[in-house]
Amino acid sequence: MASKTLLLAAVAVFSLSLPTAVSSLECSYVFPEFQNPRTCLEYDLTTLSTYGPYNITPNGPTGFRYLIKICDLASTDRPDACASKPLAPAYAYNVETDECYALGNLKYDFAYPLDPTNSRAGIRVTYTNGDGGNGVWPRAIIYDLYCDTSGTVKTPEFSYEYPVDTYRFTWRTHYACPLVQTGRTCSLPKFNKTWDSLRFRTAPSWYGKEKFGIFVCLGLYSVPAYLNEWYWERLMTGDPRYVEFHNKNYGCSGVQPKKFPCTGPPFTFQDFAPMLKMELFDPDHWASVIKNAGAKYIVFTTKHHSGWTNFPSPQHWNWNSMDVGPHLDITGNLTASLRKQGIYVGLYHSLREWYHPLYLEDQKNNCSTTSFVDEVLMPTLKDMTLKYKPDIIWADGPGDAPCTHDSVKYWKTPEFFSWLYNESPVKETVLTNTRWGSNAVGSFMEGHDRFTPYTLIKNKWETPYTIQKSSWGYDRVEDLSSFWNTTHCLYILVTTVSCNGNLLLNIGPMADGTIDPLFEEILLEMGQWLTVNGEAIYNSIPWTHQNDTPAEDIWYTASEDWQNVYAISFRAPTPGGELVLQQPKPSKQTTMTLLGADGITLDFTVDSDGGVHIHFPTNLPFAKLAGKGAWTIKMTNVT
């Protein structure tokens, strides 16, 4: 018998008057025959509920009355916690008309009626998961389904979808429920300016399916292209490498003249602006490079910590790519080209600006004033959102003392998110990361730069990772050994996806608007590999094991329907050789193939210790495998 518990989170906080209590009787559960793909032994909805969002939808004839119980779990995930906890707010959501039906503020422990007007209406629920400021809030549990006992017509059903359009689990109650209108048509609940409210916002599902994006870092630092994108800050703080290089090659920076004497003409960082000409910039070519890489989304730098914007900004007069330099709306041109290719557009935007006078003044005031945020940051973010309608707003840089990471009082991030999710033109589609200050709640967890945990993280996460080892912006000082090769980039992609993450792989274009051919070559090879092996990456979910312990060069993913498990090996297959896997448990129905090998079925045997020996034929079509250091074995019907 399946568990009657379901660990889920309320989609929104919603408070209306309580509906009238109804006498009810707990209905029996009749579950279809189904084995939980995670255990193949028991039907564990609590485990499955750590993914989402889901729809709980009544099937069959309309007009039935459904009664549910929901309670607030606060910080616990114990299924029995509802026995002593107050009930949480809830509402019924019509997935077709985008309307909701108020169920009231569930303050008391009794059943509440759900009374949709068509067969597809239901309760939409989500579960957010993470750690600390990145999103662990198991908030609510639906712990009983009730139905009214007064009806005797056809038995209604509920479906539980995991994820949407994949698994459908059905509750069949023993009693039918008569039509009773209990709610009212209303717009979706508004998010207020608190993290407690904003954490319940349901994120679009595409991001969890697409897995692979490209990070593009371009700014005035691309002109000197020396060491890294922190050129201005390193110059102003007197790093000898930067000051001596700058004074020698451009002119006197004026930084610490006694320590770094200079006799040439003055030349400040601002003087680089006319030199960012972008004369060879071809946004259609950039979009094709990203498309051919197999990437599904991009995050483009609209503003780094220098404050220079790659789009016309009234708040950055004469310090943007339209007023100075290329006299182009770089962001707008690129966004248009990317969308023609069907690529989702994310925009990176630094919160801080190193040397903006208002920011420096706020810091001097111990951040008791917020002039920079009010007059510069928030208007710029809103202008950018209204103009480009991004699919992702990717924040960074909230960390200068004394305003360090204060998302609420200084950066006012909840206020911006409230506008973004309630009023903006992308309120239902935009995604956000978590680099918005302390305790910020985003659509996905953003780890630190080059974050590689190599272990499963249940909440959705992303790692930004560079192809050039030490820089995000283009560095012309580095040689070939300073670039990661394609095999390494594939390893980061595979291990990240296996552990429930997305890879955001960075490139830095040059100041003339071109992309270094070495970047293009690596991205093209990534795309060639994904053309053959993409079904193990896109739309995949983590399997029961992430790698073939103790081997660190074999990693696993699974298809959404759990019918296929993919072993991605960084050991090259050899004709007539074999590969030994320890984790999969084959059955009599198991088949194995090598992606790209023209459908050749692989023979396998199982030794006495349970190791699976996969045998490769002598006629492997190596030219079609697109190995690039990684090969994928597709296995059906394994546990």
Side-chain angles (χ1 to χ4, degrees):
M1 174 60 69
S3 167
K4 296 181 183 180
T5 61
L6 183 59
L7 182 61
L8 297 162
V11 173
V13 177
F14 202 87
S15 178
L16 291 174
S17 59
L18 291 172
T20 304
V22 179
S23 298
S24 59
L25 180 68
E26 183 177 358
C27 300
S28 300
Y29 296 84
V30 179
F31 288 92
E33 292 185 2
F34 181 82
Q35 289 185 324
N36 177 354
R38 293 189 168 278
T39 64
C40 290
L41 295 175
E42 61 182 351
Y43 191 84
D44 184 355
L45 292 179
T46 298
T47 299
L48 293 177
S49 69
T50 58
Y51 298 84
Y54 317 101
N55 293 326
I56 297 181
T57 307
N59 296 329
T62 62
F64 293 117
R65 184 184 204 175
Y66 305 101
L67 306 176
I68 62 168
K69 284 186 176 181
I70 304 178
C71 79
D72 188 353
L73 274 181
S75 61
T76 179
D77 60 359
R78 293 185 297 108
D80 60 350
C82 287
S84 60
K85 294 287 183 181
L87 295 178
Y91 68 97
Y93 177 55
N94 185 321
V95 296
E96 289 185 332
T97 65
D98 197 33
E99 297 172 340
C100 68
Y101 299 89
L103 298 183
N105 190 7
L106 307 184
K107 293 182 178 178
Y108 306 103
D109 189 4
F110 61 84
Y112 285 81
L114 165 59
D115 199 21
T117 58
N118 69 57
S119 61
R120 290 198 61 195
I123 302 172
R124 190 172 188 183
V125 292
T126 187
Y127 178 91
T128 54
N129 186 4
D131 189 16
N134 294 322
V136 176
W137 298 282
R139 294 293 300 179
I141 188 167
I142 296 178
Y143 68 103
D144 264 325
L145 275 176
Y146 285 73
C147 70
D148 194 300
T149 61
S150 61
T152 57
V153 295
K154 183 179 178 181
T155 301
E157 298 179 350
F158 271 80
S159 287
Y160 173 83
E161 299 184 2
Y162 163 70
V164 176
D165 300 326
T166 304
Y167 299 130
R168 290 182 175 84
F169 311 134
T170 302
W171 290 269
R172 291 185 177 88
T173 62
H174 283 184
Y175 304 95
C177 308
L179 177 62
V180 177
Q181 181 65 35
T182 59
R184 65 180 179 85
T185 301
C186 57
S187 54
L188 288 175
K190 296 291 185 181
F191 298 99
N192 62 38
K193 301 172 184 179
T194 67
W195 289 130
D196 283 340
S197 171
L198 293 163
R199 66 172 51 120
F200 290 118
R201 192 251 185 173
T202 302
S205 61
W206 70 263
Y207 178 85
K209 298 175 181 292
E210 303 295 17
K211 310 298 184 184
F212 181 37
I214 300 298
F215 199 178
V216 180
C217 290
L218 174 79
L220 290 193
Y221 49 78
S222 304
V223 177
Y226 183 73
L227 298 183
N228 63 42
E229 69 284 354
W230 281 56
Y231 186 96
W232 190 15
E233 194 272 346
R234 299 289 191 262
L235 178 68
M236 295 298 290
T237 55
D239 186 317
R241 297 173 299 170
Y242 293 82
V243 180
E244 292 171 0
F245 172 82
H246 186 94
N247 290 353
K248 176 182 178 181
N249 292 284
Y250 299 106
C252 297
S253 64
V255 174
Q256 301 180 31
K258 291 184 178 180
K259 183 177 180 180
F260 304 104
C262 180
T263 58
F267 192 100
T268 65
F269 182 80
Q270 289 86 333
D271 292 321
F272 283 126
M275 300 171 67
L276 184 69
K277 295 182 179 180
M278 299 290 288
E279 67 272 22
L280 300 178
F281 175 52
D282 181 351
D284 288 340
H285 177 68
W286 283 28
S288 68
V289 169
I290 292 162
K291 180 79 170 181
N292 292 336
K296 303 299 184 180
Y297 65 100
I298 185 178
V299 174
F300 176 66
T301 303
T302 62
K303 184 194 76 170
H304 193 245
H305 309 326
S306 70
W308 167 274
T309 65
N310 285 317
F311 64 97
S313 170
Q315 294 78 31
H316 299 82
W317 176 83
N318 215 36
W319 194 233
N320 67 74
S321 63
M322 182 62 78
D323 291 346
V324 195
H327 299 288
L328 286 173
D329 180 357
I330 302 172
T331 302
N333 281 274
L334 181 58
T335 295
S337 294
L338 291 166
R339 287 193 166 132
K340 285 190 296 185
Q341 294 282 4
I343 298 169
Y344 292 100
V345 176
L347 300 180
Y348 168 105
H349 198 83
S350 170
L351 302 185
R352 63 178 159 173
E353 295 182 20
W354 284 318
Y355 302 113
H356 195 290
L358 291 179
Y359 184 47
L360 296 176
E361 185 68 22
D362 286 345
Q363 287 185 287
K364 184 186 297 184
N365 295 333
N366 202 34
C367 295
S368 60
T369 59
T370 57
S371 299
F372 171 74
V373 175
D374 298 334
E375 299 178 34
V376 179
L377 178 63
M378 289 303 164
T380 306
L381 282 170
K382 289 184 178 182
D383 288 347
M384 184 182 75
T385 303
L386 293 170
K387 187 170 185 178
Y388 304 114
K389 300 177 178 59
D391 300 296
I392 303 172
I393 300 180
W394 208 101
D396 192 22
D400 282 341
C403 311
T404 303
H405 300 306
D406 189 344
S407 68
V408 178
K409 293 181 180 179
Y410 185 72
W411 294 114
K412 300 184 179 181
T413 311
E415 293 187 24
F416 174 69
F417 275 28
S418 178
W419 173 83
L420 185 66
Y421 297 157
N422 290 328
E423 302 176 36
S424 80
V426 291
K427 60 186 178 182
E428 296 180 5
T429 58
V430 70
L431 293 153
T432 53
N433 66 341
T434 52
R435 293 190 186 185
W436 294 82
S438 56
N439 301 314
V441 180
S443 310
F444 53 90
M445 187 190 81
E446 192 65 56
H448 55 76
D449 292 349
R450 306 177 185 89
F451 178 56
T452 50
Y454 300 121
T455 188
L456 179 65
I457 298 176
K458 287 187 176 180
N459 58 299
K460 190 61 191 175
W461 60 279
E462 178 183 74
T463 182
Y465 206 91
T466 54
I467 293 178
Q468 278 192 296
K469 296 179 181 179
S470 63
S471 180
W472 300 86
Y474 182 69
D475 178 14
R476 56 197 171 107
V477 178
E478 293 189 351
D479 57 19
L480 183 61
S481 66
S482 302
F483 284 73
W484 293 116
N485 62 24
T486 304
T487 299
H488 180 85
C489 294
L490 284 174
Y491 187 80
I492 299 300
L493 174 65
V494 168
T495 56
T496 297
V497 171
S498 176
C499 296
N500 199 35
N502 278 24
L503 172 62
L504 187 61
L505 189 63
N506 173 78
I507 62 172
M510 292 182 279
D512 62 5
T514 61
I515 300 172
D516 188 304
L518 186 52
F519 282 131
E520 290 202 29
E521 180 181 25
I522 292 171
L523 293 183
L524 179 61
E525 290 178 343
M526 296 279 288
Q528 291 170 342
W529 186 87
L530 283 164
T531 298
V532 173
N533 300 273
E535 69 172 275
I537 301 296
Y538 307 124
N539 302 306
S540 67
I541 60 175
W543 192 46
T544 53
H545 295 82
Q546 276 56 67
N547 68 328
D548 202 66
T549 308
E552 295 183 355
D553 52 4
I554 299 172
W555 292 80
Y556 294 104
T557 63
S559 59
E560 284 186 304
D561 60 8
W562 217 262
Q563 296 303 304
N564 304 313
V565 174
Y566 302 93
I568 305 172
S569 173
F570 287 83
R571 305 177 195 174
T574 57
E578 69 174 23
L579 180 69
V580 181
L581 304 179
Q582 299 296 330
Q583 301 302 340
K585 301 297 182 284
S587 65
K588 292 181 179 179
Q589 290 75 41
T590 294
T591 59
M592 297 190 184
T593 55
L594 188 64
L595 295 186
D598 295 333
I600 296 174
T601 300
L602 303 177
D603 295 327
F604 64 91
T605 56
V606 181
D607 63 30
S608 58
D609 294 328
V612 180
H613 294 250
I614 302 172
H615 308 289
F616 297 114
T618 57
N619 60 336
L620 282 176
F622 277 94
K624 297 182 179 181
L625 295 182
K628 308 302 178 187
W631 295 264
T632 304
I633 296 171
K634 178 179 179 179
M635 302 175 286
T636 63
N637 299 305
V638 298
T639 57

